[in-house]
Amino acid sequence: MGAETGPSAATGRRGELDVLRALVVVGLVFFHAALVFSPDDDFYVKNEETTGAVTVLAGFGVVWAMPMLFLVAGLGARHSIRRRGPGGFARERLLRLGVPLVFGTLVLCPLPQWLRLRAADPADDISYRAFWPRFLSVRPDPADFPFVLDGEHFETGHLWFVVLLLTFSLLLAPVAGRLAAGAARVVPALRRRPALLLLPALPLAAVNALLGMEEGFAGWNRWAYLLFLLYGFALADDGQVRAATRRAAVPAGLLGLVLFAGTAPGFIAGDDPFTAWTPAAVLTRALFGAAGWCWVLALLGLLDRPRKRSGGPAGEAGGAADGEGPRDSGRPALAARRRDAVLRRLAVAALPLYVLHQPVVVALAYGVTGWRAPMAVEYAVIVTGSLAVILLLYEYGVRRSRVTRFLFGMRPAPAGPPARVPPP
């Protein structure tokens, strides 16, 4: 996330994973809106009425969604380093991730914290203008690396993902060549024994179990995300490993379900599974880490499986094009092209949408949670309103200006007229 991609064939990137990355970002709107109604999470704005169902449903998302973003970033890093070299890759990451990180922290992150104060104490009528300097009152905190600034109100908020991704990218750049060489030595064994693709679950289980899970980072330990990025970097190139991943997808997914089910007692009835050192809590963290890798591996394989073209198998579409099929036989293919064009545009927008989404969700939730309406109605209003505002801000406030494209980590708009989406 953070740089736009061209056609997959030209870059070696997997377009379906770029689209999945964008869909995960859109899914975060649903996720963060749900936290408004969770009895457990300390979200910025809380509804008076809550439900434990949110905690269960959120667990199904956090176990794979953010890990998948880091893994896709690792896949992209391999191709970027090949094109630019380690130094060029580091400079590109500083530009595409560092600029939106600074801009978002200074301009967008204060809003949720200000609304948190007002929601907690309606009598606190401090203006946003007066709160902003308080937000920026910081002190060094190197012990919390890479989050090296701390303050009473200061936070990077949802941009923790960008902080970690930028840090990991800069750590990766100087050792990328050695890691690529090491991955090349491991690849032949993975080709012969696809079951070895499950082994990365063990380090992830160990990191979560021994270092603890962090609620502020979607339930994972921050260093587990580094492993996902490195796994993506190592598995980026080899076609036979991709074939092995496709074969392992269904067994890995089923194993992930079993492992995730095994975490239920620890999360529901045990000691705090995030930090406690009882055997049950440590086991819960380990099972969560292993389940996350299994689900990511399953998604990698399932999304890589060949799909039929719209309009029928090869050969059938050709007959229709020659006038042998029904008059409307071209409509499914046209609809598919339109859908693909929309998904490609969504993939390009992933980082700006991510940077924008949480302040918008919190602002709408602040206004909606005072309603006397059923939770389902309030949730639907927050989600639909947030999606509409975010997409409008992106389209008219980010995408069309060189300055805002730069501030949100996008490349300059290509010269010439924009590509048109085929009409339905």
Side-chain angles (χ1 to χ4, degrees), residues 307-400:
R307 292 173 293 278
K308 293 181 180 180
R309 295 179 180 272
S310 297
E316 294 180 14
D322 293 334
E324 298 174 6
R327 291 176 61 188
D328 62 346
S329 59
R331 290 185 180 178
L334 194 61
R337 289 200 300 272
R338 182 178 175 84
R339 178 201 62 210
D340 292 344
V342 170
L343 290 176
R344 284 195 298 271
R345 291 185 65 175
L346 186 62
V348 169
L351 181 59
L353 295 179
Y354 183 89
V355 173
L356 289 168
H357 86 277
Q358 184 157 287
V360 173
V361 170
V362 174
L364 282 177
Y366 179 79
V368 169
T369 51
W371 296 2
R372 296 199 176 277
M375 282 190 294
V377 173
E378 293 181 345
Y379 177 73
V381 170
I382 295 171
V383 168
T384 55
S386 296
L387 288 173
V389 171
I390 292 164
L391 292 173
L392 286 171
L393 286 173
Y394 168 73
E395 182 64 26
Y396 296 103
V398 176
R399 189 180 72 84
R400 303 188 180 204

Side-chain angles (χ1 to χ4, degrees), residues 200-212:
L202 299 179
L204 288 165
V207 167
N208 256 22
L210 301 178
L211 299 184

Side-chain angles (χ1 to χ4, degrees), residues 44 109-117 131 135 153-155:
Y44 300 92
C109 289
L111 178 62
Q113 285 289 68
W114 178 62
L115 293 176
R116 184 199 294 272
L117 285 181
F131 173 77
F135 176 85
H153 300 290
F154 177 83
E155 65 167 13

Side-chain angles (χ1 to χ4, degrees), residues 53 73 77 102 125 179 190 223 241 261 265 287 330 368 383 424:
V102 173
D125 59 353
L179 287 175
L190 297 178
W223 299 107
V241 171
L287 292 175
V368 169
V383 168

Side-chain angles (χ1 to χ4, degrees), residues 19 29 58 118 163 167 186 280-281 283 285 376 400 405 424:
V19 170
V29 174
R118 295 181 66 88
V163 174
T167 302
V186 173
L283 177 62
R285 294 197 293 270
R400 303 188 180 204
R405 289 178 74 94

